[in-house]
Amino acid sequence: MKTIGLIGGMSWESSVQYYSMINRAVRDRLGPLHSAKILMLSHDFGEIAALQRAGEWDQLSKIMCESACALKAGGADCVVICTNTMHKLAPQIEAACDLPLIHIADPVAEAIKDKGLSTIALLGTAFTMEQDFYRGRLSETHGLDVIVPDADDRAEVHRVIYDELVSGKVLGSSRAAYRDIIARLADRGAQGVILGCTEIMLLIDQSDSAVPLFDTTALHAAAATRFAFSE
């Protein structure tokens, strides 16, 4: 079994889900005494979020590249970034560290295509919804049509993530708001919705949507587990 290197803490509320999901998958595969071989480098998200707000992506790139190299030095066989937003820096990380990087958008796109869907909505941070690093990979690499909420809904999705979910706050009012946003996206033609922030799965699940939801946390953790058992 290979060693999975996790870059976490963005936020730890979702990173703990990665750790649990991967270990449960290994236990289910190998038996009750087994668990995954994992290295995690976990950041202080307060520092990361401040740099994001300030647009200091060069500094964030330096932090993320150093993290990947530290995982490699510790014996990791791959890099898993436990957040959608920081995949903005995936090319820099891959250039700095020659370990395989399991990109979160790829298993998500494959799950969407496996269901025969082609038009998908994307929820996430403003960075993920509005910039091209994520949407572009879904469309250019995987041939999906991607739609995002309108400006007011994008602002609300982003606010709930940073003001509530990263702190472990799960509010019924925010769940209702997300349900309404998903319904509006479905009315615009979305055949499914990507939960494109690793904390969103703390707030909503399939019972909140009439169209299929794609949980990036679960799909990414499953891809990391498959890598651990690959030849």
Side-chain angles (χ1 to χ4, degrees):
M1 183 166 47
K2 295 176 182 175
T3 300
I4 300 168
L6 302 178
I7 303 178
M10 298 172 284
S11 68
W12 72 261
E13 293 284 351
S14 61
S15 299
V16 70
Q17 301 298 325
Y18 274 87
Y19 188 81
S20 296
M21 288 176 178
I22 293 169
N23 276 299
R24 283 197 298 268
V26 171
R27 179 188 63 194
D28 291 346
R29 178 166 178 156
L30 297 181
L33 297 183
H34 292 274
S35 56
K37 295 180 179 179
I38 292 175
L39 290 176
M40 179 184 285
L41 198 161
S42 188
H43 289 278
D44 176 358
F45 187 59
E47 297 174 358
I48 298 295
L51 291 169
Q52 290 175 340
R53 287 192 302 271
E56 296 287 347
W57 292 100
D58 287 344
Q59 179 62 21
L60 287 165
S61 176
K62 180 175 183 291
I63 291 168
M64 296 296 286
C65 290
E66 289 175 350
S67 299
C69 292
L71 289 172
K72 180 182 178 182
D77 295 303
C78 69
V79 174
V80 174
I81 309 169
C82 301
T83 163
N84 287 270
T85 296
M86 297 304 283
H87 279 77
K88 175 181 172 69
L89 302 172
Q92 293 92 317
I93 296 167
E94 290 178 307
C97 177
D98 61 1
L99 289 181
L101 186 149
I102 303 174
H103 197 293
I104 196 168
D106 295 337
V108 174
E110 292 304 324
I112 293 164
K113 292 187 289 185
D114 284 348
K115 283 190 173 291
L117 309 183
S118 59
T119 302
I120 196 76
L122 175 63
L123 300 181
T125 67
F127 309 108
T128 299
M129 291 186 288
E130 295 172 2
Q131 297 181 22
D132 193 53
F133 68 91
Y134 201 99
R135 295 165 59 182
R137 192 174 184 100
L138 293 172
S139 60
E140 295 164 16
T141 302
H142 297 283
L144 298 173
D145 293 323
V146 183
I147 62 176
V148 297
D150 65 23
D152 288 344
D153 285 349
R154 291 198 304 273
E156 178 63 4
V157 170
H158 182 89
R159 183 198 67 77
V160 169
I161 291 167
Y162 278 87
D163 290 354
E164 299 171 12
L165 297 181
V166 298
S167 302
K169 298 178 183 177
V170 178
L171 304 182
S173 58
S174 296
R175 180 177 293 110
Y178 268 53
R179 285 173 177 166
D180 290 343
I181 291 167
I182 289 170
R184 286 192 283 274
L185 289 165
D187 287 343
R188 288 172 52 196
Q191 299 168 317
V193 177
I194 298 171
L195 307 184
C197 172
T198 52
E199 284 85 15
I200 295 178
M201 51 84 71
L202 303 172
L203 182 66
I204 59 173
D205 59 29
Q206 190 57 60
S207 67
D208 297 302
S209 173
V211 298
L213 299 181
F214 295 89
D215 176 2
T216 56
T217 306
L219 292 166
H220 202 199
T225 306
R226 289 193 297 273
F227 177 88
F229 287 104
S230 64
E231 295 296 331

